[in-house]
C-alpha cells in the first residue's frame, strides 16, 4: 500500500507543478499584454500629438489643418470603446492629406517642416509595430486560455479575456517612402 500511495503523491505533485507553471506562464503573458498595450497607447498618443502640432504649425493649408486637427483631437479624446474607430479615422485623415508626394514636399520646405515631417513619419511607422506586438501577445494568451486545463482549473483567475486592438494603421505612402 505504501508504494501506491507514494506514486499517487508523486503524480499529484507533478500535476500541481505543471498547473502552477501554466498559471505562471499565463500571468507572464497577461503582464506582456499590459506592457504592449501601454507601448501601443504611447505610440498612438505620440502620433496624435505630432499630428496636432503639425496641424497647428501653419505649414499645411487650412483645410488639411482642420481635417488633421479634428481627427487627432478625436483620437486623443476617444473613450475606450470608440478608440479603435477614432484611431482608424486619424489614419485615414493622414493618408488623405499626405496622399501625394508634393504635399509632403511642401511641408518639408516650410520652416520647421522637415523636423515635423520626420517626426510624423517616425510615429506613423511605429504604430503598426506596436499594434502587432500587442496583438501577438493577445493571440498567445488567447491560445493558452482556450486549453481545457486552463478553463477547468480556472488558471486565468479573474483576469479579463484579452482583446486585440483592431484598427486601420496603414501609414501614408508618400510620407513613409520619403522618410525611409
Amino acid at each position: 500500500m505504501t508504494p501506491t500511495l507514494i506514486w499517487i503523491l508523486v503524480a499529484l505533485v507533478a500535476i500541481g507543478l505543471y498547473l502552477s507553471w501554466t498559471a505562471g506562464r499565463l500571468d507572464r503573458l497577461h503582464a506582456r499584454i499590459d506592457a504592449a498595450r501601454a507601448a501601443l497607447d504611447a505610440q498612438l498618443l505620440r502620433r496624435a500629438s505630432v499630428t496636432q502640432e503639425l496641424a497647428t504649425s501653419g505649414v499645411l493649408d487650412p483645410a488639411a489643418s482642420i481635417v488633421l486637427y479634428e481627427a487627432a483631437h478625436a483620437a486623443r479624446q476617444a473613450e475606450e470603446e470608440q478608440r479603435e474607430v477614432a484611431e482608424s479615422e486619424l489614419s485615414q485623415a493622414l493618408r488623405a492629406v499626405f496622399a501625394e508626394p508634393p504635399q509632403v514636399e511642401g511641408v518639408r520646405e516650410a520652416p520647421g517642416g522637415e523636423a515635423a515631417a520626420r517626426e510624423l513619419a517616425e510615429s506613423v511607422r511605429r504604430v503598426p509595430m506596436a499594434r502587432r506586438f500587442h496583438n501577438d501577445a493577445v493571440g498567445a494568451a488567447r491560445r493558452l486560455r482556450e486549453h481545457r486545463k486552463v478553463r477547468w482549473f480556472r488558471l486565468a483567475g479573474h483576469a479579463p479575456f484579452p482583446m486585440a486592438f483592431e484598427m486601420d494603421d496603414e501609414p501614408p505612402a508618400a510620407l513613409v517612402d520619403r522618410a525611409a
Side-chain angles (χ1 to χ4, degrees):
M1 177 100 173
T2 306
T4 305
L5 191 58
I6 290 174
W7 282 112
I8 290 172
L9 285 174
V10 168
L12 288 175
V13 168
I15 290 170
L17 286 173
Y18 178 71
L19 290 175
S20 175
W21 176 81
T22 302
R25 181 172 168 228
L26 192 56
D27 187 49
R28 288 188 302 276
L29 282 172
H30 283 125
R32 189 171 128 203
I33 289 170
D34 291 342
R37 180 59 188 240
L40 175 61
D41 286 341
Q43 291 303 322
L44 292 171
L45 180 62
R46 181 173 184 243
R47 180 181 75 155
S49 297
V50 169
T51 301
Q52 278 186 321
E53 286 178 25
L54 184 62
T56 58
S57 68
V59 298
L60 295 170
D61 61 272
S65 294
I66 290 171
V67 167
L68 285 181
Y69 184 84
E70 287 180 356
H73 181 72
R76 289 183 74 173
Q77 300 298 318
E79 297 293 326
E80 193 61 35
E81 302 84 37
Q82 298 298 319
R83 183 101 187 265
E84 294 172 353
V85 173
E87 294 293 346
S88 294
E89 289 173 355
L90 177 56
S91 295
Q92 293 165 1
L94 285 166
R95 279 198 310 274
V97 170
F98 296 109
E100 301 296 324
Q103 180 72 7
V104 176
E105 292 305 320
V107 169
R108 290 183 188 282
E109 291 170 0
E114 181 70 32
R118 184 175 45 253
E119 190 173 0
L120 181 61
E122 288 173 6
S123 69
V124 298
R125 245 185 310 187
R126 289 180 180 160
V127 167
M129 289 187 290
R131 189 176 73 85
R132 196 171 313 119
F133 287 139
H134 175 267
N135 289 349
D136 287 347
V138 166
R142 281 180 162 187
R143 284 188 297 278
L144 184 58
R145 285 182 72 151
E146 289 172 355
H147 288 215
R148 275 181 271 184
K149 66 179 176 265
V150 174
R151 289 186 316 230
W152 287 350
F153 292 102
R154 299 177 190 246
L155 299 181
H158 297 289
F161 195 75
M163 301 302 290
F165 194 87
E166 297 299 333
M167 65 172 269
D168 175 6
D169 61 2
E170 184 181 336
L175 186 65
V176 175
D177 289 344
R178 171 69 167 82

